């Protein structure tokens, strides 16, 4: 990491370090140790709360000597000022890492400096917010390990902030592309963003509309339209091409028409897009330090899957993900086997909410859909098919149902087993028409695949690659174990940048962005929360 200190460095220095004055007394190691160990997990100094638990190892390693007194006070001022420069570029709020001038005695001020530096290093390395599913994370266990003692040791040894923290930030190209996008959108915000385009009927190629000049200006700001195309009330071919480009990078059907969805996306403010980039940078900070060389990544808001081998995308396809009521959870999991011609055991919720009402109207529903009741009527094949039962007296489906393999099986011809407690897996579907839609949040939570046979052929042992289609044609259920478990990442990214710098945005499908944005604005988490966030790592 490198950065250029701006001309306003002196102002940042005054804000962050406060021009710390020389101490009037010298604390002994015993006093420092007593201050750190006699207190609880936190120490309140003025209106600042320092988290002591992760700092104790650092001071213990130093023999309980202060880190930022004497000649090192200038180093502390420089580091705190540098945070004010670096934090915004990383999508972090610099206000969380300031140390007011004159706050606390010598020991307390030293602790505050260490606390601010530790927090910034931690937040840059693994994120500020716990990566729970409610904010689009894959769980704390997927978070990288953070060694805060080492980070503080490097800074106290005289390393500049960029050098000391350079290895802490995510190394992914996706993170650094978003970082460049963040700088671009911050410039757009500072330049005034763009104006809201009034509501109205759809505008198509060749139509005249008084809103077209505003649409032209809006597209010029974000680079879809050349700057010399700012005049004219007609939606001509040049503007239509720019609209298609805009629609493509916002996950809207690229028809060149300014309809309701396109207008809504055009009117999302520059400030909102800036915040959207920031929350997705936070999600990159939660990611493991390295992805497995061979893995599957599914981006839920984009409804898109990629198979990656040694850093190269070898297969990509559209997918269908859970609707808003049946959200596909984010997770890091493993695929262990592929099932050809799978059976489908109907989840109890679907049996009660969907199949039971249909049986009341259509007693032959189970027969017509190749389904059978399990266990309840072993000696009565008629009732096991749902016939002769008074379904009106049941408010909850009382038994299990299984659908046999076949063309109408809800899982299609291929199922990919994943290790998780949510009964989530990847699978084929007979409803192929869904893959022609732009909006594909239509499932009950599992991920449906556009090209399941191709994925199976890419994953099964080599001896079976040429046999997959024949085994499917045989109609018998067959499970093929993978040679080794394959890591699967179900991710939630609503903003990302392509290799050429094109920035993609998607709607906040499940509301995770909104919750994460709110969490990032809140004050720093408690010591207990941070301990919960680090089940495997060092605070």
């Amino acid at each position: 990491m490198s950065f250029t200190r701006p001309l306003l460095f002196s102002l940042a220095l005054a804000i962050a370090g406060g021009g710390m004055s020389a101490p009037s007394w010298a604390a002994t190691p015993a006093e420092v140790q007593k201050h750190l160990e006699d207190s609880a997990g936190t120490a309140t100094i003025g209106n600042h709360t320092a988290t002591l638990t992760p700092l104790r190892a650092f001071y213990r390693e130093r023999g309980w000597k202060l880190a930022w007194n004497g000649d090192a006070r200038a180093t502390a001022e420089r580091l705190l000022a540098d945070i004010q420069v670096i934090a915004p570029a990383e999508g972090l709020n610099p206000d969380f890492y300031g140390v007011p001038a004159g706050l606390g005695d010598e020991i307390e001020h030293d602790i505050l400096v260490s606390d601010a530096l530790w927090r910034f290093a931690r937040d840059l390395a693994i994120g500020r917010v716990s990566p729970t599913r409610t904010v689009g994370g894959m769980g704390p266990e997927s978070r990288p390990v953070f060694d805060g003692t080492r980070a503080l040791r490097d800074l106290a040894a005289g390393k500049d902030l960029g050098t000391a923290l350079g290895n802490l930030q995510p190394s992914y190209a996706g993170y650094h592309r978003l970082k460049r996008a963040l700088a671009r959108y911050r410039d757009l915000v500072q330049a005034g963003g763009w104006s809201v385009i009034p509501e109205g009927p759809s505008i198509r190629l060749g139509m005249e509309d008084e809103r077209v000049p505003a649409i032209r200006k809006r597209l010029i700001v974000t680079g879809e339209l050349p700057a010399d195309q700012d005049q004219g009330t007609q939606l001509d071919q040049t503007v239509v091409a720019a609209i298609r480009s805009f629609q493509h990078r916002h996950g809207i059907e690229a028809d060149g028409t300014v309809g309701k969805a396109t207008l809504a996306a055009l009117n999302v403010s520059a400030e909102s897009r800036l915040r959207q980039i920031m929350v997705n940078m936070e999600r990159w900070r939660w990611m493991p330090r390295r992805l497995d060389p061979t893995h599957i990544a599914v981006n839920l808001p984009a409804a898109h899957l990629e198979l990656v081998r040694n850093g190269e995308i070898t297969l990509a396809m559209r997918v269908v993900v859970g609707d808003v009521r049946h959200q596909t959870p984010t997770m890091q999991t493993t695929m262990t086997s592929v099932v050809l011609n799978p059976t489908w055991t109907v989840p109890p919720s679907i049996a009660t909410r969907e199949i039971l009402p249909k049986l009341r109207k259509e007693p032959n529903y189970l027969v017509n859909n190749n389904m059978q009741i399990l266990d309840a009527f072993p000696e009565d094949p008629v009732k096991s098919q749902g016939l002769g039962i008074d379904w009106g007296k049941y408010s909850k489906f009382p038994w299990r149902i299984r659908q046999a393999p076949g063309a109408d099986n809800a899982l299609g011809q291929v199922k990919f087993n994943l290790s998780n407690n949510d009964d989530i897996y990847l699978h084929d579907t007979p409803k192929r028409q869904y893959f022609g839609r732009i909006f594909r949040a239509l499932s009950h939570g599992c991920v449906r695949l556009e090209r399941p046979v191709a994925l199976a052929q890419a994953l099964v042992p080599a001896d079976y690659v040429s046999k997959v289609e024949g085994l499917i044609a045989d109609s018998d259920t067959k499970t093929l174990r993978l040679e080794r478990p394959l890591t699967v990442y179900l991710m939630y990214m609503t903003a990302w940048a392509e290799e050429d710098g094109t920035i993609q945005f998607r709607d906040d499908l499940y509301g995770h962005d909104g919750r994460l944005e709110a969490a990032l604005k809140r004050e720093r988490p408690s010591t207990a929360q941070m301990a919960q966030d680090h089940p495997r790592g060092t605070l």
Side-chain angles (χ1 to χ4, degrees):
M1 182 195 305
S2 63
F3 64 93
T4 301
R5 187 167 295 134
L7 294 175
L8 294 178
F9 169 70
S10 58
L11 176 59
L13 181 68
I15 294 173
M20 292 181 271
S21 57
S24 56
W25 57 282
T28 67
E31 291 171 323
V32 175
Q33 180 179 4
K34 185 176 189 309
H35 202 109
L36 283 160
E37 292 192 334
D38 285 358
S39 302
T42 61
T44 301
I45 303 168
N47 61 354
H48 277 53
T49 300
T51 307
L52 300 181
T53 304
L55 303 184
R56 287 169 180 155
F58 168 64
Y59 282 97
R60 185 182 300 113
E61 189 179 88
R62 295 177 53 81
W64 302 104
K65 295 178 182 178
L66 295 179
W68 313 108
N69 63 332
D71 293 341
R73 293 179 75 84
T75 301
E77 290 184 353
R78 173 177 54 80
L79 291 171
L80 292 171
D82 287 349
I83 287 178
Q84 301 300 305
V85 177
I86 295 176
E90 301 290 341
L92 294 169
N93 185 346
D95 294 344
F96 289 118
Y97 314 108
V99 178
L103 183 60
D105 59 29
E106 185 183 33
I107 295 176
E108 290 173 331
H109 201 280
D110 208 90
I111 289 171
L112 285 175
V113 172
S114 294
D115 179 69
L117 295 172
W118 177 87
R119 285 187 178 277
F120 180 67
R122 171 191 178 273
D123 294 354
L124 180 62
I126 63 173
R128 286 196 68 239
V129 177
S130 179
T132 62
R133 288 180 172 179
T134 60
V135 290
M138 297 188 297
E141 65 278 0
S142 67
R143 210 174 193 179
V145 174
F146 169 60
D147 188 346
T149 302
R150 178 179 178 179
L152 286 174
R153 183 195 310 131
D154 288 345
L155 294 172
K159 287 187 179 180
D160 65 81
L161 197 65
T163 301
L165 305 185
N167 293 327
L168 292 179
Q169 63 178 336
S171 60
Y172 298 113
Y175 178 84
H176 291 278
R177 291 172 188 168
L178 273 185
K179 184 175 172 180
R180 291 191 289 272
L182 180 75
R184 177 183 170 189
Y185 271 76
R186 182 170 281 124
D187 288 343
L188 292 177
V189 169
Q190 292 175 350
W194 47 78
S195 301
V196 173
I197 302 165
E199 298 287 336
S202 297
I203 312 172
R204 295 178 174 82
L205 174 63
M207 293 178 63
E208 298 276 350
D209 193 292
E210 62 183 9
R211 294 172 294 163
V212 171
I215 294 171
R216 289 174 179 269
K217 289 181 172 62
R218 167 66 182 84
L219 295 170
I220 288 170
V221 172
T222 46
E224 289 87 4
L225 192 66
D228 61 0
Q229 296 291 321
D230 61 336
Q231 300 297 316
T233 59
Q234 185 187 63
L235 204 70
D236 60 24
Q237 288 282 9
T238 302
V239 180
V240 165
I243 291 169
R244 287 199 178 105
S245 176
F246 177 89
Q247 291 168 328
H248 174 74
R249 68 184 191 89
H250 288 79
I252 303 168
E253 184 177 359
D255 58 4
T257 298
V258 183
K260 185 176 181 180
T262 300
L263 187 61
L266 287 166
N267 281 333
V268 174
S269 70
E271 291 88 348
S272 294
R273 293 303 186 197
L274 181 69
R275 294 192 297 270
Q276 189 173 356
I277 292 170
M278 292 171 69
V279 300
N280 284 278
M281 289 178 70
E282 176 78 354
R283 292 192 181 110
W284 277 112
R285 289 189 280 267
W286 297 335
M287 294 292 289
R289 271 291 165 257
R290 291 179 181 83
L291 300 183
D292 286 352
T294 299
H295 66 266
I296 286 175
V298 179
N299 186 5
L300 302 179
H304 183 79
L305 175 147
E306 294 175 348
L307 171 63
V308 177
R309 294 187 187 276
N310 298 319
E312 298 292 331
I313 299 171
T314 60
L315 183 64
M317 68 187 73
R318 292 183 170 195
V319 300
V320 172
V321 300
D323 61 30
V324 175
R325 291 200 310 152
H326 308 91
Q327 300 177 9
T328 303
T330 45
M331 67 175 77
Q332 176 182 333
T333 183
T334 54
M335 181 187 297
T336 54
S337 60
V338 179
V339 183
L340 307 180
N341 299 310
T343 61
W344 180 46
T345 302
V346 182
S349 59
I350 295 178
T352 295
R353 296 174 186 172
E354 300 184 21
I355 294 180
L356 183 58
K358 292 175 180 176
L359 280 166
R360 292 172 185 150
K361 298 178 181 179
E362 184 187 345
N364 291 329
Y365 180 84
L366 298 186
V367 177
N368 294 338
N369 287 275
N370 208 15
M371 294 179 173
Q372 188 173 18
I373 296 173
L374 299 179
D375 306 328
F377 309 106
E379 306 298 330
D380 192 338
V382 174
K383 282 192 174 181
S384 69
Q385 293 179 317
L387 302 173
I389 298 174
D390 180 9
W391 294 108
K393 70 178 184 180
Y394 296 104
S395 59
K396 180 180 179 181
F397 199 94
W399 306 294
R400 292 189 304 152
I401 309 172
R402 178 169 294 164
Q403 186 178 36
D408 57 352
N409 187 282
L411 304 184
Q413 297 176 316
V414 190
K415 171 188 174 184
F416 300 82
N417 286 323
L418 303 180
S419 301
N420 65 96
N421 296 322
D422 301 282
D423 202 23
I424 297 296
Y425 36 85
L426 313 182
H427 66 85
D428 184 16
T429 175
K431 296 181 179 179
R432 311 301 301 171
Q433 69 274 18
Y434 287 173
F435 298 109
R437 301 184 183 183
I438 294 295
F439 182 80
R440 297 189 299 279
L442 303 164
S443 81
H444 284 86
C446 288
V447 178
R448 304 176 187 175
L449 307 176
E450 181 182 28
R451 302 173 60 194
V453 175
L455 183 61
Q457 291 171 326
L459 298 180
V460 297
D463 293 346
Y464 282 96
V465 173
S466 61
K467 302 175 183 178
V468 167
E469 291 182 326
L471 291 171
I472 291 174
D474 288 343
S475 300
D476 294 330
T477 300
K478 186 173 185 60
T479 299
L480 304 178
R481 295 200 65 82
L482 304 186
E483 293 179 343
R484 60 183 61 85
L486 175 69
T487 303
V488 177
Y489 305 96
L490 301 185
M491 304 162 64
Y492 194 89
M493 295 290 184
T494 62
W496 68 95
E498 306 286 359
E499 189 174 356
D500 64 359
T502 300
I503 304 168
Q504 297 275 347
F505 294 106
R506 294 297 183 270
D507 289 342
D508 184 14
L509 181 61
Y510 300 147
H512 296 337
D513 277 9
R515 287 184 287 273
L516 179 52
E517 184 181 329
L520 285 168
K521 291 178 181 177
R522 289 196 289 269
E523 289 298 324
R524 51 198 184 185
S526 65
T527 302
Q529 179 62 57
M530 286 189 291
Q532 182 180 349
D533 289 352
H534 296 265
R536 300 181 294 109
T538 302
L539 277 172

